[in-house]
Amino acid sequence: MKLLFKQRFFSWFDSYDIYDETGKIRYTVKGQLSWGHCLKIFDAFGNEIGTVKERILTFLPKFEIYMKDQYIGCISKEFTFFKPKYNIDYNGWHVEGNFMEWDYRIEDRTGQCVADISKQLFNWTDTYVIDVHNPQNALGALMLVLAIDAEKCSRA
């Protein structure tokens, strides 16, 4: 299953539409005014299904992940000089990325690929392709991609 993660061009807060392979909106992400990033994820029917929320006052960026109102884990950036590394406390997943941080993959604890993420260059807004190997992992993979993108935006 492929998802196209595309940031809206004119938006005061982080706002994204997530399309499936057929071009239909699968998820909508809306940023909320708060200290740090707070991204609410909605399904195609407008139901809130998840939240990615930045914890403030931490040495390195850390994001909590919620499905509906239930805390399911967090992702935090590790201190490294060249290759980005993230510590993920969710499903035993981990993230491996390249130097430019535009292409990376999410793997489970056995080393199997959960999702491949790649950034499409030469677009007006941030655009990512998320290739999820099991559709049941689509929302979880999307929330990790949102957290990593928010962390990169915080550095700019």
Side-chain angles (χ1 to χ4, degrees):
M1 162 184 229
K2 288 191 184 212
L3 299 173
L4 181 67
F5 169 114
K6 193 168 188 172
Q7 185 177 25
R8 292 183 184 161
F9 189 68
F10 292 107
S11 176
W12 288 104
F13 301 106
D14 295 324
S15 185
Y16 309 92
D17 290 320
I18 314 301
Y19 301 90
D20 65 14
E21 298 152 326
T22 65
K24 293 181 185 174
I25 293 178
R26 176 90 187 244
Y27 304 105
T28 299
V29 179
K30 296 178 183 176
Q32 292 188 326
L33 182 62
S34 69
W35 292 102
H37 292 271
C38 183
L39 304 170
K40 299 282 185 179
I41 299 106
F42 300 88
D43 65 14
F45 304 105
N47 301 311
E48 185 179 325
I49 56 173
T51 304
V52 176
K53 186 174 183 179
E54 183 176 11
R55 287 194 56 197
I56 57 171
L57 303 175
T58 58
F59 178 67
L60 292 171
K62 185 175 188 173
F63 294 84
E64 294 176 339
I65 298 170
Y66 298 85
M67 282 200 185
K68 298 198 178 181
D69 290 333
Q70 183 178 354
Y71 174 83
I72 59 168
C74 68
I75 177 172
S76 56
K77 182 148 195 243
E78 293 181 11
F79 183 76
T80 59
F81 287 107
F82 297 109
K83 189 174 182 181
K85 288 253 284 185
Y86 297 92
N87 182 21
I88 300 172
D89 177 24
Y90 172 63
N91 277 356
W93 292 358
H94 67 278
V95 174
E96 295 294 327
N98 72 5
F99 183 75
M100 298 300 288
E101 299 182 57
W102 289 338
D103 297 306
Y104 52 95
R105 74 183 328 174
I106 301 169
E107 297 177 350
D108 66 14
R109 60 178 60 94
T110 66
Q112 294 290 329
C113 183
V114 174
D116 288 303
I117 295 86
S118 59
K119 183 173 183 176
Q120 292 183 339
L121 302 176
F122 309 114
N123 286 300
W124 288 101
T125 61
D126 285 344
T127 303
Y128 296 91
V129 174
I130 306 170
D131 188 3
V132 182
H133 298 267
N134 181 344
Q136 292 178 337
N137 292 326
L139 180 58
L142 172 62
M143 290 196 287
L144 292 180
V145 172
L146 287 168
I148 291 169
D149 185 66
E151 184 274 323
K152 288 192 285 186
C153 289
S154 295
R155 278 187 270 151

